[in-house]
Amino acid sequence: MERPIRLGVVMDPIANIKYAKDSTLAMLLAAQARGFELLYMEIGDLALRDGVALGRVRPLTVRADPNDWFTLRPPTVERLGDLDCILMRKDPPFDTEYIYSTYILERAEEAGALVVNRPQGLRDMNEKVYTAWFPQCCAPTLITRDMGEMEAFLREHDKIVCKPLHGMGGRSIFVVERNDKNMKVIFETLTDYGQRFAIVQRYIPDIVETGDSRVLLIDGEPVPYALARIPSPTDNRGNLAAGARGVGRPLNDRDRWIASQIGPAMAARGMLFVGLDVIGGYVTEINVTSPTGIRELDAQFGIDIGGMLMDAIARRLRGSSSSAAGAQQTEADKG
């Protein structure tokens, strides 16, 4: 009898998640339904000993019960490379501790575990900066420390969105119009008076009516529905954490074209679960650290996105994603 897939997960404390919204729980429920063995870790459970990645793992059982959704059994220490797959689902902030954890997970990967998403990609693909690799999919964008360049960009486009490169959940996002008297202080705040890079993008008015849509990619292929996050009437931000309303919709032709441009590169680099933020047909961010939106889309359309991901992982583990994908990944690493 074939042994079950051993799936480790690195996540924030499972006792503190929001049951109805947590995408990682949806993944774990789907994995358990497929007979996977679940092993739970938090970031503090990771270690390196003489170059070997180790984890203090706790066997995990999950349940679709909003009042009692998990059971953890006593921990043991295991070589992480002996696991079949490890889900890295620790939420940002993307700080030095997060980076250190990717080094440990990379040693696990080199020892044989499939890490989702790939540690090198987690380090390389800043969600805002990495859009520069796909300029054909993006609205005009500037990344700079220079406040004069930001002001010139604003004069060119009349209305812009300004963001820090490290933010999440809609934090420190500003919409600035020409002649806004707060313009200089916003630029000063975001760049720390020219000491930090920040990003400015042309404002896309479609966000008011159609929202900021999350398009999910699983091993390079798009989920057939997107989650449009519609800002509240009193806010510019299309972030659920900032009060936006999540409305599912089928993908349109532009979404599918964007996925065709970005998806193959993500799959080739081992990024199996990616969230694209799309406003008015333009990509504004590429999320690789801990994309969400599964629970809302599953509920609205009766699908099983976590199951799609687990099936993709099983195919990767069987090698049916083909040696060509591995060759592409090797070439991507050289680039």
Side-chain angles (χ1 to χ4, degrees):
M1 182 176 178
E2 187 176 353
R3 70 169 179 82
I5 291 172
R6 304 185 74 218
L7 179 77
V9 60
V10 181
M11 61 184 291
D12 292 302
I14 192 169
N16 298 339
I17 65 173
K18 295 181 179 178
Y19 172 85
K21 291 184 172 295
D22 194 82
S23 290
T24 304
L25 180 60
M27 296 175 185
L28 295 173
L29 287 165
Q32 183 174 271
R34 284 157 174 75
F36 292 17
E37 178 185 349
L38 305 182
L39 299 165
Y40 171 89
M41 292 168 278
E42 297 172 18
I43 198 167
D45 294 317
L46 305 179
L48 272 177
R49 175 65 188 266
D50 301 326
V52 177
L54 302 173
R56 186 169 53 245
V57 303
R58 285 167 276 185
L60 169 68
T61 303
V62 290
R63 291 175 290 278
D65 182 345
N67 298 309
D68 179 27
W69 59 83
F70 73 99
T71 298
L72 289 171
R73 294 193 290 282
T76 59
V77 175
E78 293 206 26
R79 292 172 177 251
L80 294 181
D82 292 341
L83 303 183
D84 296 302
C85 180
I86 302 170
L87 293 178
M88 177 44 162
R89 291 290 299 176
K90 170 72 176 68
D91 285 340
F94 187 87
D95 54 13
T96 52
E97 289 299 302
Y98 191 102
I99 292 171
Y100 297 150
S101 74
T102 67
Y103 294 137
I104 297 172
L105 292 174
E106 189 162 350
R107 292 297 294 162
E109 179 186 53
E110 291 172 355
L114 173 67
V115 182
V116 179
N117 283 323
R118 195 175 183 216
Q120 182 182 352
L122 292 175
R123 291 194 301 272
D124 288 352
M125 298 179 187
N126 175 277
E127 62 188 19
K128 299 172 179 67
V129 179
Y130 200 66
T131 59
W133 272 248
F134 307 95
Q136 72 275 23
C137 301
C138 303
T141 301
L142 171 68
I143 296 172
T144 185
R145 287 180 167 196
D146 191 307
M147 293 180 285
E149 291 181 4
M150 290 181 168
E151 187 171 351
F153 189 86
L154 174 56
R155 287 196 302 269
E156 180 183 353
H157 295 289
D158 291 324
K159 191 173 184 179
I160 61 174
V161 177
C162 311
K163 298 183 279 191
L165 294 180
H166 61 275
M168 58 168 286
R171 295 176 186 171
S172 301
I173 295 177
F174 298 90
V175 175
V176 186
E177 298 187 51
R178 184 193 285 263
N179 300 322
D180 188 327
K181 291 184 178 181
N182 290 309
M183 171 189 66
K184 291 187 182 297
V185 72
I186 289 170
F187 296 162
E188 290 165 0
T189 299
L190 288 177
T191 68
D192 190 17
Y193 293 88
Q195 300 305 303
R196 289 197 303 256
F197 285 101
I199 184 170
V200 293
Q201 297 166 317
R202 187 183 71 193
Y203 177 78
I204 305 168
D206 306 61
I207 191 169
V208 175
E209 298 295 333
T210 59
D212 181 347
S213 292
R214 170 61 54 83
V215 175
L216 296 172
L217 302 177
I218 295 177
D219 206 0
E221 294 295 326
V223 171
Y225 302 96
L227 184 67
R229 285 118 1 131
I230 313 295
S232 74
T234 59
D235 206 319
N236 286 306
R237 297 170 296 176
N239 302 84
L240 296 180
R245 175 171 52 94
V247 179
R249 63 168 180 79
L251 297 190
N252 57 39
D253 289 342
R254 176 71 178 182
D255 297 326
R256 294 185 183 281
W257 178 81
I258 287 170
S260 75
Q261 298 294 299
I262 300 176
M266 296 294 103
R269 288 182 176 269
M271 313 309 282
L272 270 68
F273 190 65
V274 176
L276 308 179
D277 289 350
V278 179
I279 303 174
Y282 295 101
V283 173
T284 61
E285 297 184 9
I286 299 174
N287 293 272
V288 300
T289 49
S290 188
T292 60
I294 287 181
R295 301 303 287 269
E296 293 87 352
L297 289 173
D298 282 356
Q300 291 184 43
F301 297 104
I303 55 178
D304 179 12
I305 296 170
M308 295 177 193
L309 177 60
M310 293 307 124
D311 292 344
I313 286 171
R315 288 193 296 270
R316 283 265 181 161
L317 292 173
R318 290 195 302 267
S320 62
S321 56
S322 84
S323 58
Q328 285 179 336
Q329 184 164 307
T330 301
E331 290 301 312
D333 292 342
K334 293 177 181 178

